[in-house]
Amino acid sequence: MQDTTQERLLIADTVRKIASQFTDQYWMEHDEEKRYPKDFFDAFVEAGLLGITIPEEYGGMGLGISEAGIALREIAQSGAAMNGCSTVHFPLFVSGVIVKYATEQLKREVLPKIVSGEIDLCFAVTEADAGTNTTRIKTFAKREGDKFIINGRKLWISKAQVANTMVLLARTKRYEDVAKPTDGMTLILLDLNSPGITITPINKMGRNAVDSNEVFFDDVMVAADRIIGEEGQGFRHILDSLNPERVLLSYEAIGIGRVALQKAIKYANERIVFDRPIGKNQGIQFPLAEAHMRLNAAELMADKAASLCDQGIKCGEEANTAKYLAGEAAFFAADRAVQTLGGMGYAKEYHVERYFREARLFRLAPISEEMILNYISEHVLKLPRSY
Ligand SMILES: Cc1cc2nc3c(=O)[nH]c(=O)nc-3n(C[C@H](O)[C@H](O)[C@H](O)COP(=O)(O)OP(=O)(O)OC[C@H]3O[C@@H](n4cnc5c(N)ncnc54)[C@H](O)[C@@H]3O)c2cc1C
């Protein structure tokens, strides 16, 4: 987003100042040791930034996805990359569903605590046997009077080790018993300290300072008034939050691409081989120039999508396109940064290998490139659905 408004300039400046206190070494060590960057999260909370998208009446800043995107771009670009962004990503985007669909009572209880960091959220949709086909989830919340009893398991749930509250998508009617596959799912706000929840970390390629987990629910009890929105309409409610999430991720990807590019440019200017800086070779220069242009193009699309989201205008095409282009641009930039640094690109101490591992994730999650291409083919180009 062109950081032209006062709010955007202020957000960018504030985030830059906070993020600059956390060094490359800090992020490398936290990634290596799989250690959650709690002090980074706390600094963000202290500045009130978790409330960027939460209305002022609930203690937030009342700004939009455009401003949240800028904050995430600045975090990523500081070198914190996804290890930094993922600490604040979930409160920033999941709060949107709560603002839009929760009861007034739940909003008054929960939203100020998200801003103060007292409630730290994770978001649980994915299941092993359903994959991208969310309608096939099986985690079931059975209504018993004024409560639900939850059984099932979720996969890949990020931050579940450190968060204290989960926004859970569960079936409240079986797939076999609903008229439409998207019916019968409900969003539930769940205290992660409830008895019957087991959380097991997954060993993964990158973004290792922030955990991802398998989560098991064994007769977990939750009061029926903890549902967000209408019972049975959870899938539709989260659809509203998916486009904003894609836009936020686009900015995160752009930030990672930019920091990778900066590292590559610095190295290309300093590294002397054959008695001249390697950056004098067009074989080194041109891919970096291309990475720069690809990142700028992706950011323009993210800006457009963010602006549409904030005006409440349909933005499926733009949000998906931004996510796709930004993921590709970030991966290209990180890959070219590794190439520019030669053997040192492979060494942890130069950081670009960490960006490379993290940039790979944007092409897979939370929606894969293939599913974005499916969306554009079917919903924009009006080609027949292929699956
Ligand atoms: C690090 C990490 C963190 C995550 N955090 C969270 C989280 O916090 N909460 C959460 O709910 N989930 C989370 N996820 C899950 C993530 O959203 C899913 O991994 C992602 O949606 C893809 O689902 P899947 O892995 O089951 O892939 P699958 O559905 O098994 O797909 C596998 C491959 O097949 C392709 N494919 C499938 N169907 C089609 C088709 N019809 N046409 C073309 N290609 C197809 C896909 O594109 C993909 O490449 C996380 C994942 C990762 C890796």
Side-chain angles (χ1 to χ4, degrees), residues 90 123 125-126 131-132 156-158 212 361 366 368 370 374 387:
F90 295 97
F123 187 53
V125 174
T126 306
T132 306
W156 279 119
I157 309 313
S158 296
S212 296
L361 181 58
S368 65
E370 291 81 5
N374 276 332
Y387 58 99

Side-chain angles (χ1 to χ4, degrees), residues 39-208:
D39 33 5
F40 174 82
F41 178 77
D42 289 346
F44 209 80
V45 171
E46 206 167 301
L49 289 162
L50 283 189
I52 293 178
T53 55
I54 292 176
E56 286 172 298
E57 56 182 308
Y58 305 107
M61 293 183 177
L63 299 171
I65 290 298
S66 305
E67 288 77 16
I70 283 171
L72 288 163
R73 184 197 66 198
E74 291 299 327
I75 293 174
Q77 199 168 332
S78 75
M82 282 216 88
N83 278 323
C85 289
S86 296
T87 64
V88 297
H89 170 95
F90 295 97
L92 282 177
F93 103 88
V94 180
S95 51
V97 192
I98 299 173
V99 169
K100 193 148 184 199
Y101 294 108
T103 59
E104 191 55 35
Q105 193 186 345
L106 203 55
K107 283 199 261 195
R108 296 221 168 270
E109 177 199 322
V110 169
L111 293 172
K113 289 185 183 164
I114 294 176
V115 180
S116 69
E118 209 178 318
I119 287 184
D120 192 6
L121 292 171
C122 65
F123 187 53
V125 174
T126 306
E127 293 186 15
D129 296 336
T132 306
N133 187 0
T134 304
T135 62
R136 290 299 190 146
I137 63 167
K138 290 205 178 96
T139 296
F140 200 83
K142 186 172 174 223
R143 181 114 193 191
E144 283 187 8
D146 58 358
K147 47 187 186 296
F148 287 101
I149 310 290
I150 305 166
N151 281 287
R153 62 190 176 128
K154 293 280 175 186
L155 190 64
W156 279 119
I157 309 313
S158 296
K159 259 192 95 167
Q161 301 278 341
V162 290
N164 52 22
T165 307
M166 172 182 277
V167 173
L168 169 76
L169 185 72
R171 278 220 162 266
T172 41
K173 276 202 177 146
R174 292 187 329 144
Y175 180 86
E176 294 74 18
D177 299 335
V178 289
K180 279 198 249 155
T182 47
D183 290 343
M185 286 178 264
T186 302
L187 278 175
I188 300 172
L189 194 70
L190 184 62
D191 181 347
L192 277 174
N193 292 313
S194 310
I197 299 179
T198 311
I199 303 170
T200 314
I202 299 169
N203 211 359
K204 60 190 192 301
M205 181 197 284
R207 205 206 57 187
N208 285 314

